[in-house]
Amino acid sequence: MTNLFLPLDVQCSMLDVRRFRADLWMKSFFKYWLPVLGWLVVTFIGSTNVTSVEQTSRFIVPFLLWLKPGMTQQNTWVIIVFMRHWAHVGEYAVLAFLMWRALRWGISASMRMPTLYGVVLLGCALFAASDEFHQTFVKSRTPSVRDVLLDVAGASLGLLIAAIFANRRPKNSRTITQRQFVDARL
């Protein structure tokens, strides 16, 4: 709807600003939030029958027996359980890092880091709990509080990696600082 009281050039510039904001929003959504949503979908699919023990052991057990032909069934089971636990940690570390990245750039760019870490950790914990609740409806899966704790530990690991990235300075600023130091000495 056009405003009859504003000159035509002001109306056009306002339309340009709206288009620019919409374009900027779409670019930021695709760059920051689409990876988060995509990873949430991957995690949700992972809590279905597709990645149950019965399905994944069909591939893992023959691979382990190929690596070491005389391996006992108990040893293969220990390795499968170990791999599944580390998969929980890894998938939630990635989720926490992606959420931290999206929230840090977005609306909460002015949020303090401890608050941001708390929000991300809470979001990951809530998704982990809902993921385990989802597994109550899948016959081949069993929900576990231990898995939620593993997921929160993985999210903490992801936030630790995010903290390392947050404290890292870009290479360009280091070289500029070194050049300014050299120029100041001359």
Side-chain angles (χ1 to χ4, degrees):
M1 183 173 160
T2 60
N3 190 338
L4 299 175
F5 299 107
L6 291 175
L8 189 57
D9 60 338
V10 173
Q11 289 178 14
C12 290
S13 65
M14 288 174 57
L15 184 62
D16 289 340
V17 168
R18 287 188 200 119
R19 284 185 189 144
F20 175 73
R21 284 184 182 168
D23 187 44
L24 184 63
W25 183 86
M26 286 301 289
K27 284 181 182 177
S28 68
F29 174 78
F30 284 125
K31 185 175 181 181
Y32 295 102
W33 285 105
L34 194 61
V36 173
L37 294 176
W39 194 252
L40 288 174
V41 167
V42 166
T43 303
F44 185 78
I45 290 171
S47 68
T48 63
N49 188 36
V50 173
T51 59
S52 66
V53 175
E54 294 84 16
Q55 299 296 328
T56 56
S57 62
R58 293 186 317 169
F59 302 105
I60 296 172
V61 170
F63 179 71
L64 291 175
L65 292 175
W66 176 75
L67 287 175
K68 187 172 185 210
M71 190 178 293
T72 65
Q73 188 175 7
Q74 183 182 4
N75 287 344
T76 57
W77 180 250
V78 168
I79 292 172
I80 288 173
V81 169
F82 181 77
M83 288 174 62
R84 292 183 68 79
H85 287 337
W86 275 104
H88 274 275
V89 171
E91 74 179 329
Y92 277 86
V94 171
L95 177 63
F97 182 79
L98 290 173
M99 284 178 67
W100 170 82
R101 179 179 169 261
L103 286 171
R104 186 170 183 223
W105 183 88
I107 298 169
S108 58
S110 61
M111 188 184 296
R112 294 177 160 258
M113 279 297 179
T115 307
L116 180 62
Y117 292 147
V119 167
V120 170
L121 196 60
L122 179 65
C124 287
L126 289 174
F127 187 74
S130 69
D131 192 42
E132 293 300 317
F133 178 70
H134 168 251
Q135 289 182 13
T136 61
F137 301 106
V138 180
K139 288 182 182 180
S140 62
R141 303 300 299 259
T142 54
S144 171
V145 174
R146 183 182 62 220
D147 287 348
V148 174
L149 294 175
L150 281 170
D151 297 340
V152 171
S156 300
L157 177 65
L159 288 174
L160 179 66
I161 294 168
I164 291 169
F165 273 94
N167 292 328
R168 198 182 78 184
R169 288 186 353 195
K171 288 182 179 180
N172 292 342
S173 68
R174 270 186 270 158
T175 56
I176 291 171
T177 308
Q178 290 170 352
R179 284 187 207 142
Q180 289 172 346
F181 179 73
V182 170
D183 290 342
R185 287 183 60 193
L186 294 176

